[in-house]
Amino acid sequence: MVDGVQVEGTFHAHQVPLSDPATHPEHLKMLEDWLRSNQPEELFDEQGRLKPELAELAPKGERRMGANPHANGGSLLRDLRMPDFRESAVDLPSPGCAASVTRMCSGVSCAM
């Protein structure tokens, strides 16, 4: 709860619910408690660096997200298989004279 508003388990948990901890001591305490709940002493050494045994868990080489050929946006390019958009065309004898609703049915475009 922050200022009487439920945070955990609500959309507020995906925002920054603490306003200006520098001028709100109760918010500063909440922030500190939350940060300490992550047990930083188990993650970082005395100089504040990530512990080597944890850094060792990070992927290496092409296993890294930015180096992975499936995620780097270039080395595995291929054409998309797209349906012919012309098959979904609606005849318009004049501007604004027809109404049409398009929806997706099992991955296939269907005109209603």
Side-chain angles (χ1 to χ4, degrees):
M1 297 282 279
V2 176
D3 295 334
V5 176
Q6 177 70 31
V7 173
E8 191 172 348
T10 72
F11 71 92
H12 296 291
H14 302 280
Q15 300 174 356
V16 180
L18 302 170
S19 62
D20 196 14
T23 59
H24 294 88
E26 65 281 0
H27 287 193
L28 179 60
K29 176 72 171 116
M30 289 175 168
L31 177 60
E32 181 180 1
D33 291 346
W34 176 72
L35 289 171
R36 290 190 185 281
S37 75
N38 292 303
Q39 301 170 328
E41 65 280 354
E42 294 180 9
L43 305 173
F44 304 98
D45 65 17
E46 294 76 27
Q47 286 77 40
R49 289 186 292 254
L50 186 62
K51 289 189 174 181
E53 62 269 24
L54 295 176
E56 197 56 37
L57 297 173
K60 296 179 180 38
E62 282 194 355
R63 305 292 287 180
R64 293 173 297 126
M65 188 181 298
N68 184 312
H70 297 281
N72 73 4
S75 64
L76 294 179
L77 290 179
R78 64 176 186 238
D79 290 338
L80 293 174
R81 293 178 300 160
M82 301 286 290
D84 185 353
F85 65 90
R86 290 172 284 256
E87 294 175 11
S88 300
V90 175
D91 185 36
L92 296 175
S94 64
C97 68
S100 176
V101 177
T102 303
R103 63 184 174 114
M104 296 298 291
C105 308
S106 304
V108 179
S109 182
C110 306
M112 293 180 62

